[in-house]
Structures are given as C-alpha cells and as structure tokens.
Amino acid sequence: MGTRLEGKVALVTGGARGMGEAEARRFCAEGAKVVIADVLDDIGQTVAADLGADAAYVHLDVSSEDDWATAVAATVERFGAPTVLVNNAGIARYETIDRMPKEEVVAHLSVNVVGPWLGIKSVFEPMRRAGGGSIINIGSTNSVRGAAGATAYATSKHAVAGLTKSAAVELGPFGIRVNMVLPGGVATPMIADAAPWFGPAPLDNSPTEWSLPLKRWGMPEDIAAMVLFLASDESAYSTGAEFVVDGGMTADHPFKPAAAWVEHREALLAESRD
Ligand SMILES: NC(=O)c1ccc[n+]([C@@H]2O[C@H](COP(=O)([O-])OP(=O)(O)OC[C@H]3O[C@@H](n4cnc5c(N)ncnc54)[C@H](O)[C@@H]3O)[C@@H](O)[C@H]2O)c1
C-alpha cells in the first residue's frame, strides 16, 4: 500500500472497466478515496465493492449536467470535496464519413467533449474551496493524429486538447491543474468492441508485425501509472500539458522504414536472442 495519494478524494469517470478501472484500483492502492462513476452500474458497483470502504460507485452519464450535480454531491457527502477528477469516460465508434449518421458525431462530442467540460464545471467550486486539485483529461493519439473512420472520434479528442489548455489557464490561479494524457493502443474492451472496424480480433496482432517501437499493446496499468503521477503532488508544476503514453506510436512518421535500419535492427535483435 503506497501513500502517493494520501488525503486525496478522486472521481473517475468511466471507472467501471478498462483504463478507468485500472486508475481507480491504482488510486486506492496509493491511499486515495475513490468514487467510480459510470453508466455500467452492475460492473461499477462490483469494482467499488471489491475495493472496499475507500471506494464508492455512483451512476453518471457524463453528458448529463444533472447527473454531474448528483455525482459530485454524493462524492462530497461520502468522502469530502473531490481534489482529483479523471475525465476518462469515452466512446469510440468508427465509420467512414459517407456512411456515418450525423447523430454519431453529436454523440462523440457529447460524451468525449461536453462530458469532460461538464465535469470541470461541476467540480470547480468544491475543488476551489478545498484549496485546489488536479484534473486529468484522457485524450488519445487521435488528439494529434487523424485516422480513416475516426472523424467523429478524432475530432472529439482534438477538442479535448483545447479544453485542457483553456481550463488550465482559467483554473490555475485557484490551484487547480488541468492536464491531458494521450494513450495509444491500449488493450481494453473499447478496442475489442472495435472489431467490426479493425477486423475480427484486433487485440491478437502479432507484435513482430507492428511498426510500433515498443511492439506491444499498452495495458491499462501503463496509463494508470501516468494518471497517478498527474493526480499526485509529484506533478505540482505541470498544467495545460500533454503526456503521451503510446509505445512510441506518434514518434515515428508513416513512411516505410529505411532498409538499412531494418537490416541492422534485425541483426541486433537476432544477436539479442542468441
Ligand atoms: N483503448 C485505447 O486504445 C484508447 C486509446 C486512446 C484513448 N482512449 C481513451 O481512454 C478512455 C478510456 O477508454 P477505454 O479504452 O478504457 O474504454 P472502455 O470502453 O473499456 O471504457 C470506457 C468506459 O467509459 C464508460 N462510458 C461510456 N460512455 C459513458 C457516459 N456517457 N457516461 C459515463 N461513462 C461512460 C463506459 O461504460 C466504460 O466503462 C476513453 O476516453 C478513450 O477514448 C482509449
């Protein structure tokens, strides 16, 4: 049991599964009181019960301002004012522009952009009165990159960058930091659910076929480690910033790798295997 979040009260949206669940578990292990907020009530309640008395579950559709009022009030009543907010809940559905109904774009903006905006608005007053806090918005590599089929998702995740920077400027004077994490390729139900777009078993890619420098899917715990750092006072001088956790995905350009580099790399890898 660590103490990096001792005394913190955290609200984690989308905390029932995937990386939100990993964040909730890591936060509790580091001494925080954690409220898991989601629309998957049964799963969220099970995770909270598993974490014990330092965790609670609340139903929250992040696109509903009324739900936010209820969730923040429940957090204050159970554990005190939230001093950490993780705007993690998100949706990702892929389709080409010509086949995507307008409602899909609106849904992505509603959950992925209006949701975090409402979250920041809803925690501002209790966080300010508590003396400050840390807000972490979960963006994506699609906050800085586009992709075919991702016009709704990437548009929404680019908007999270603007929200993060503007909120950081506005809330900094009140001791509230706002940062963004950009995960890339993390093995969660979201990726599994994207099978209709990416193929029958998107998580089964053989790492050796990846151009990704670290040659593996990210795990929810990889992201939780960065979110923990940003939630803690260790990141006290960071705000309005973007923290990439993507196995090197956005570091490379999309050209075919140079033959000389591939030849040398493979020789060294063969030597490492010997
Ligand atoms: N998995 C990846 O590769 C990846 C990469 C980059 C960014 N992200 C982002 O990370 C975050 C978490 O994604 P994940 O991969 O764990 O996905 P996930 O689908 O496994 O989990 C998302 C959670 O958000 C919840 N949620 C969805 N709509 C909601 C709403 N309206 N109100 C409240 N909760 C809602 C879901 O019920 C679920 O529990 C998302 O913002 C996602 O866009 C994921």
Side-chain angles (χ1 to χ4, degrees):
M1 174 94 179
T3 56
R4 292 169 70 188
L5 296 185
E6 201 75 62
K8 310 274 190 205
V9 175
L11 183 53
V12 181
T13 72
R17 71 180 198 186
M19 52 184 96
E21 179 189 353
E23 288 149 11
R25 290 187 181 280
R26 190 75 205 274
F27 281 13
C28 270
E30 292 291 345
K33 312 280 190 209
V34 177
V35 173
I36 293 168
D38 209 300
V39 289
L40 298 175
D41 296 336
D42 290 349
I43 305 175
Q45 273 158 4
T46 303
V47 174
D50 189 43
L51 285 168
D54 288 341
Y57 175 80
V58 64
H59 176 88
L60 168 69
D61 176 346
V62 293
S63 63
S64 159
E65 194 158 12
D66 288 346
D67 276 12
W68 270 108
T70 306
V72 172
T75 304
V76 171
E77 190 183 325
R78 177 76 187 265
F79 296 127
T83 47
V84 175
L85 168 65
V86 186
N87 278 316
N88 163 80
I91 57 171
R93 292 190 289 259
Y94 303 87
E95 188 51 276
T96 56
I97 294 173
D98 56 314
R99 292 183 297 195
M100 182 178 278
K102 184 188 87 174
E103 288 70 23
E104 274 292 79
V105 182
V106 174
H108 280 77
L109 294 177
S110 183
V111 175
N112 297 355
V113 185
V114 178
W117 184 86
L118 280 174
I120 295 169
K121 182 180 183 183
S122 305
V123 300
F124 172 64
E125 195 54 24
M127 208 176 256
R128 182 181 75 82
R129 288 182 183 280
S134 175
I135 296 173
I136 301 106
N137 296 327
I138 305 299
S140 167
T141 47
N142 276 141
S143 297
V144 290
R145 286 272 176 93
T151 51
Y153 183 68
T155 299
S156 73
K157 289 298 185 179
H158 273 68
V160 174
L163 170 63
T164 302
K165 292 188 180 93
S166 301
V169 172
E170 205 172 302
L171 274 53
F174 304 103
I176 300 173
R177 300 182 293 112
V178 188
N179 290 291
M180 177 165 84
V181 173
L182 287 69
V186 184
T188 68
M190 177 179 277
I191 296 293
D193 290 350
W197 179 258
F198 288 112
L203 290 173
D204 282 350
N205 291 350
S206 163
T208 55
E209 289 169 13
W210 283 44
S211 61
L212 194 66
L214 293 187
K215 294 194 175 291
R216 69 167 174 87
W217 279 96
M219 298 307 290
E221 292 73 20
D222 292 317
I223 313 306
M226 178 62 82
V227 175
L228 166 63
F229 168 70
L230 293 171
S232 78
D233 296 338
E234 295 158 24
S235 56
Y237 201 52
S238 293
T239 197
E242 299 174 0
F243 294 80
V244 177
V245 189
D246 70 348
M249 185 186 287
T250 52
D252 204 0
H253 60 58
F255 299 142
K256 195 175 168 191
W261 146 242
V262 172
E263 189 185 336
H264 184 56
R265 182 192 69 196
E266 292 307 312
L268 289 176
L269 286 172
E271 189 186 289
S272 313
R273 284 193 293 270
D274 290 342

